Amino acid sequence: MTTPSHPADDSAELLPVATPARTRAALRALIRPDRGLALTGIGVLVAATAVGLLVQPLLGRIVDIVADGRPAGDLTLPVVLLVAVAAVQGVTTTIGLTRVARLGETVLARLREQFVERALDLPADRLERAGAGDLTARVTGDVARVAEAVRSALPEMARSVLAILLTLGALALLDVRFLLAALLAVPVQLLTARWYVTRALTLYADQRVANGAQQQQLLETIGGAVTVRGHRLERQHTERGAGRSRKAVELTMRSVNLVLGFYGRLHIAEYIGLAAVLIAGFWLVRDGAVSIGTATAAALYFHSLFGPVNAALVLLDDAQSAAAGLARLVGVTDLARPAEPVAGKAEPAGGAEPAPVPHQRTGPHQRTAPGAAVAVDAVSHAYGPGRPVLHEVSLTLRPGEHVALVGTSGAGKSTLARIVAGVQQPTAGTVTAPAGAGEPSVVLVTQEVHVFTGSLAEDLRLARPDATDAELRGALSTVHALDWAEALPDGLDTVVGEGGHRLDPARAQQLALARLVLADPALAVLDEATAEAGSAGARVLERSAEAALSGRTALIVAHRLTQAVAADRVVVLEAGRVVESGPHDELRDADGPYAALWRAWSGSRTAPHP
């Protein structure tokens, strides 16, 4: 079960946060495959702690020997035993902590894999509603906080809890009255822990949300810096960023004050307990019930509790912070997966995420029209209440047909393309497509192309891992990119991407189109795939796209109307509705919306003949 995060603003719909019960259940499930490792690690730590408890009685024995005026030779055995205890405790503690740390790292790796796998499966519109900052904060800050707790807090917490329990048992063995005296500190410690926990969990959860909102604002401002400056919105964005930063700082200072109050209460508990044990020792020694050495051992036992008790309670700070981060990670891993695809899988060829192939989304099952490659039936979509983008759009693409989507900005072109590609779920309506036989049914290429770090050949083989070098060169040749690829310093072995040879936008887009050729899908969806090239590279990319789409069905969101000229059919969207459909020449002469777009776009341009 998950609960939604508190949104940072009214427009954000943050990813959910798991409830405490669900977080605990997920943690148990993560640990279950390594129960043996967990039991072994804890068992070795119990042995190490038990051996360490021999130190105080041995020191008490030394005190009794000195107090009784015995010969110095009587000190030999206790001293030798102290050395042996130190050696055995050091070895066993190292082994136990190593196994506990290995358990923590294994569980953390498993959690990371589940989180990344689930995050990559999330529908694009769900991520857009949450904002990139929320997911970024979880995959960075929350993962780091959980990792820090696993690497430091978990082993220390395990050792501290064991030390507390065994030390209290040792006090009881000396004399139960020492244990009762030591327990006078427990009420103050429990009240302190309760006071802290009830405030910390909510505070740290709010702090994580505030940090995510702050990151989201920074990403929006930096990513849209040109637009912000162009519309003179610097002051508004600065004020908005400052407001979110102030909220994050305010929550951070509240957490600092909470920790200071926590420490202050712990010191009071220490003084109460130590004073009680010393007074009990004084009365017991005076009455002859115990020796001075035994009373000394009892005081040392309680003093040795300062470290583990404070560590255990102080680690509540890390535990609460890590628990808040873990709940946010589990909230993502628990999100319901999209419906299993009916017709294979849609794969990206640069910049787009994998998603289910177009298939029935909502409503009654719709069969693909006879002979059709794609059938869109009464599809509507909205990004939120009162924000409709598409209104009952119906569209059929015949096998091998190239259809261009045109319209003004905000008409719904990209939304429709992403729905057809299976990247986005429609609010209503159905989309059907034939299944691919062994290859992806749909490949989406967007204008936001990502060049992965690695050799050019490895980047290409993302589309087809078993492709030979000859097939890679063939795909590059198809999109007119072989010449520059072979001219790179190491040819196809040249490292590209972050830290490697940088590819300009036109070449990066040709790389994406080459991946499309290698994937060889039944349907290709191009969402303004030539928009990033600029005027100089536009015609080159259009030729590359035309070659990549040859022989396959294609839906093209046309950034330039030259792409509409070359298409078999043009579909005009206006305010989320299909208002015109037909060949370029026919629509151009019809004096309708497309003709108006053509006149506005072409001006003095001379459009190429289809």
Side-chain angles (χ1 to χ4, degrees):
M1 179 180 180
T2 56
T3 57
S5 303
H6 301 293
D9 55 54
D10 295 337
S11 63
E13 184 185 332
L14 300 185
L15 296 168
V17 175
T19 61
R22 175 61 198 129
T23 303
R24 290 191 295 270
L27 186 58
R28 289 194 296 271
L30 288 168
I31 295 175
R32 192 172 296 119
D34 297 292
R35 284 174 295 184
L37 182 62
L39 293 174
T40 303
I42 292 175
V44 175
L45 283 179
V46 168
T49 305
V51 170
L53 292 177
L54 296 174
V55 171
Q56 288 83 356
L58 289 172
L59 291 175
R61 178 65 176 167
I62 292 173
V63 170
D64 282 338
I65 291 173
V66 174
D68 293 343
R70 298 182 189 179
D74 291 352
L75 296 173
T76 302
L77 180 60
V79 171
V80 171
L81 290 177
L82 280 174
V83 174
V85 166
V88 173
Q89 185 183 27
V91 172
T92 52
T93 299
T94 300
I95 295 173
L97 290 178
T98 299
R99 297 189 72 81
V100 171
R102 182 180 301 171
L103 170 68
E105 290 294 341
T106 303
V107 170
L108 179 61
R110 191 174 292 126
L111 174 64
R112 279 174 167 163
E113 290 170 0
Q114 290 181 5
F115 179 84
V116 171
E117 179 184 0
R118 190 65 200 92
L120 291 175
D121 261 349
L122 290 177
D125 56 339
R126 183 67 185 87
L127 290 177
E128 288 174 354
R129 292 199 304 272
D134 186 30
L135 188 63
T136 301
R138 296 186 193 221
V139 81
T140 54
D142 291 327
V143 169
R145 189 58 58 91
V146 174
E148 181 182 355
V150 164
R151 289 167 184 156
S152 58
L154 176 63
E156 187 62 31
M157 177 69 84
R159 187 170 63 169
S160 298
V161 171
L162 290 173
I164 292 168
L165 295 177
L166 294 178
T167 302
L168 291 176
L171 276 172
L173 288 176
L174 292 178
D175 192 295
V176 71
R177 286 167 287 190
F178 285 127
L179 174 62
L180 295 176
L183 291 179
L184 290 177
V186 172
V188 179
Q189 292 168 336
L190 291 179
L191 289 173
T192 298
R194 182 180 178 184
W195 172 83
Y196 176 77
V197 169
T198 55
R199 290 161 175 79
L201 188 58
T202 302
L203 179 58
Y204 283 121
D206 291 343
Q207 192 175 2
R208 298 270 76 77
V209 172
N211 289 338
Q214 183 186 33
Q215 288 194 30
Q216 176 67 23
Q217 182 60 46
L218 289 174
L219 288 172
E220 289 177 353
T221 302
I222 295 172
V226 174
T227 303
V228 170
R229 287 195 297 268
H231 290 276
R232 300 182 181 275
L233 298 174
E234 295 94 335
R235 181 177 178 181
Q236 293 92 319
H237 275 257
T238 300
E239 290 176 351
R240 196 177 303 165
R244 293 187 176 181
S245 296
R246 280 193 297 271
K247 184 174 182 180
V249 170
E250 177 189 350
L251 290 170
T252 300
M253 294 308 301
R254 283 175 55 190
S255 68
V256 169
N257 291 330
L258 184 67
V259 171
L260 291 176
F262 178 65
Y263 279 120
R265 287 166 170 80
L266 285 185
H267 292 325
I268 294 174
E270 290 174 358
Y271 297 147
I272 292 174
L274 183 58
V277 170
L278 290 174
I279 292 171
F282 171 78
W283 286 105
L284 291 173
V285 170
R286 192 186 70 169
D287 294 342
V290 298
S291 67
I292 295 176
T294 301
T296 301
L300 291 174
Y301 268 137
F302 187 81
H303 187 272
S304 71
L305 282 175
F306 284 11
V309 167
N310 286 349
L313 293 178
V314 167
L315 285 174
L316 285 174
D317 181 65
D318 292 335
Q320 294 303 310
S321 182
L326 182 61
R328 283 161 56 81
L329 297 178
V330 173
V332 174
T333 62
D334 276 358
L335 279 174
R337 294 179 178 274
E340 286 298 319
V342 172
K345 199 128 173 113
E347 298 188 1
E353 63 274 24
V357 70
H359 61 284
Q360 180 181 330
R361 307 297 186 192
T362 58
H365 178 70
Q366 298 289 328
R367 299 185 63 84
T368 305
V374 178
V376 178
D377 185 15
V379 163
S380 298
H381 187 72
Y383 287 106
R387 298 169 58 192
V389 180
L390 297 176
H391 304 273
E392 297 187 351
V393 173
S394 295
L395 177 66
T396 299
L397 278 72
R398 296 182 295 275
E401 184 181 26
H402 292 182
V403 174
L405 282 179
V406 302
T408 58
S409 179
K413 305 184 297 297
S414 292
T415 300
L416 180 58
R418 289 153 69 91
I419 289 174
V420 170
V423 171
Q424 213 156 280
Q425 301 277 349
T427 305
T430 58
V431 182
T432 55
E439 70 277 345
S441 294
V442 184
V443 163
L444 170 67
V445 182
T446 72
Q447 62 178 324
E448 298 173 357
V449 177
H450 184 72
V451 179
F452 295 88
T453 300
S455 70
L456 184 64
E458 291 171 339
D459 208 303
L460 288 167
R461 285 195 175 98
L462 291 171
R464 193 197 299 174
D466 60 350
T468 65
D469 286 350
E471 288 172 327
L472 299 185
R473 289 187 172 86
L476 289 169
S477 178
T478 298
V479 299
H480 311 293
L482 183 59
D483 289 343
W484 64 256
E486 291 187 330
L488 293 174
D490 297 313
L492 296 185
D493 294 327
T494 302
V495 175
V496 294
E498 190 70 26
H501 186 89
R502 297 187 63 85
L503 300 181
D504 61 41
R507 289 183 174 182
Q509 196 63 265
Q510 283 181 309
L511 179 60
L513 292 171
R515 287 201 291 255
L516 184 152
V517 173
L518 287 168
D520 194 23
L523 171 66
V525 179
L526 269 59
D527 185 3
E528 298 190 350
T530 64
E532 293 293 320
S535 299
R539 184 54 189 156
V540 173
L541 271 187
E542 287 173 8
R543 288 177 57 240
S544 298
E546 184 179 351
L549 299 178
S550 178
R552 70 182 90 252
T553 308
L555 181 65
I556 307 157
V557 176
H559 175 70
R560 293 176 175 82
L561 291 189
T562 50
Q563 296 170 293
V565 174
D568 300 315
R569 182 158 51 103
V570 178
V571 173
V572 183
L573 286 180
E574 194 171 276
R577 292 182 171 84
V578 175
V579 294
E580 276 189 311
S581 178
H584 161 76
D585 291 339
E586 178 182 314
L587 296 183
R588 182 193 58 193
D589 298 336
D591 200 26
Y594 180 77
L597 286 174
W598 177 257
R599 287 192 298 268
W601 181 84
S602 60
S604 61
R605 295 181 179 90
T606 301
H609 193 277

